[in-house]
Amino acid sequence: MEITAIITALCLVLGSLLGITGGIGVYRLPDFFTRLHACGITDSACAFLILSGLMFQTGTSLETVKLLFILIFLLITSPTSTHALAKAALNSGETPLMEQQQTQQKREER
Amino acid sequence: MLEAIYGASCLAILAVMGLALLRAVLGPSAFDRLMAVNMFGTKTVLLISVFGFLTGRPDFLDIALIYALVNFLGTIAVLRFFEGRKTPACYDEPAEEQKE
């Protein structure tokens, strides 16, 4: 078992575990913006670990360059789309959970 | 041994895609669904590249790259549609929208 196979196995397992953690977070978290955070985890960390794990296997060849392009593109676009999602949600009147609880407390105090 | 790891991570990514679909079905607001679809697309990119390595076919990486491009554009295109609306789901107030 060469060292690269061990590193690939470790990266892939860690990436899959992060992905599952993010997936469970997307399912269980109470509010849209907290779920968006969990979705952000899976997009960036899980993709980074899995793709870099695969990169160890191909050494210096065309596949590594392709994997590098996929990784760079994902690392640029997924935060951008997550940010655009949050901005559009805020603009269209989606109130975070904290705000909802504060407005409820104000109503109760009156 | 490495094929087993590839297979296991393929299954894990499939599980994450299932959870994303579950959130897409349950999601109360339209933005939850859009986030779930975006997440599903990113996971498809990973699934294609890991499956390409599992079956020893390096040309899957081109498909994964193209899918990453298309997925991002799709999300941003749908977000452009939601930009101006007050409540995304309803369609009965377009008249007021033009007045603003």
Side-chain angles (χ1 to χ4, degrees):
Chain A
M1 272 293 284
E2 317 82 17
I3 187 71
T4 54
I6 294 171
I7 294 176
T8 311
L10 200 68
C11 280
L12 280 172
V13 167
L14 271 176
S16 323
L17 284 179
L18 262 177
I20 289 179
T21 331
I24 292 173
V26 160
Y27 170 64
R28 274 177 55 95
L29 285 171
D31 172 54
F32 166 70
F33 293 98
T34 41
R35 278 183 228 126
L36 201 58
H37 173 63
C39 164
I41 288 180
T42 64
D43 277 353
S44 47
C46 166
F48 178 76
L49 276 171
I50 288 183
L51 290 175
S52 54
L54 293 179
M55 256 187 243
F56 282 110
Q57 279 311 106
T58 51
T60 57
S61 71
L62 185 59
E63 276 75 39
T64 315
V65 175
K66 281 182 200 165
L67 277 167
L68 202 64
F69 277 148
I70 295 177
L71 182 60
I72 289 170
F73 186 76
L74 271 184
L75 284 183
I76 290 174
T77 51
S78 54
T80 321
S81 58
T82 312
H83 172 74
L85 249 166
K87 186 171 96 71
L90 261 180
N91 283 352
S92 81
E94 181 109 6
T95 55
L97 198 58
M98 281 275 291
E99 244 174 84
Q100 288 159 8
Q101 281 157 359
Q102 273 152 9
T103 44
Q104 270 152 17
Q105 271 154 13
K106 277 193 199 101
R107 271 193 221 110
E108 277 139 21
E109 275 144 23
R110 270 192 219 116
Chain B
M1 208 287 280
L2 215 47
E3 277 65 25
I5 300 282
Y6 288 147
S9 60
C10 269
L11 289 179
I13 294 173
L14 279 175
V16 176
M17 288 157 99
L19 282 165
L21 277 184
L22 191 64
R23 174 47 57 191
V25 170
L26 292 178
S29 76
F31 292 101
D32 291 309
R33 294 190 171 88
L34 187 55
M35 177 199 70
V37 165
N38 179 30
M39 190 174 148
F40 192 86
T42 317
K43 291 300 155 251
T44 318
V45 171
L46 295 179
L47 185 71
I48 294 173
S49 40
V50 173
F51 194 72
F53 271 77
L54 181 67
T55 51
R57 295 203 35 201
D59 48 9
F60 272 21
L61 294 178
D62 309 332
I63 305 171
L65 183 63
I66 301 295
Y67 198 89
L69 300 167
V70 169
N71 176 43
F72 172 63
L73 286 181
T75 310
I76 298 297
V78 176
L79 275 180
R80 286 301 305 158
F81 170 71
F82 283 145
E83 197 55 42
R85 293 180 178 278
K86 269 290 152 265
T87 51
C90 70
Y91 298 105
D92 50 4
E93 313 156 10
E96 284 146 23
E97 213 184 328
Q98 271 82 30
K99 260 178 254 149
E100 276 153 24

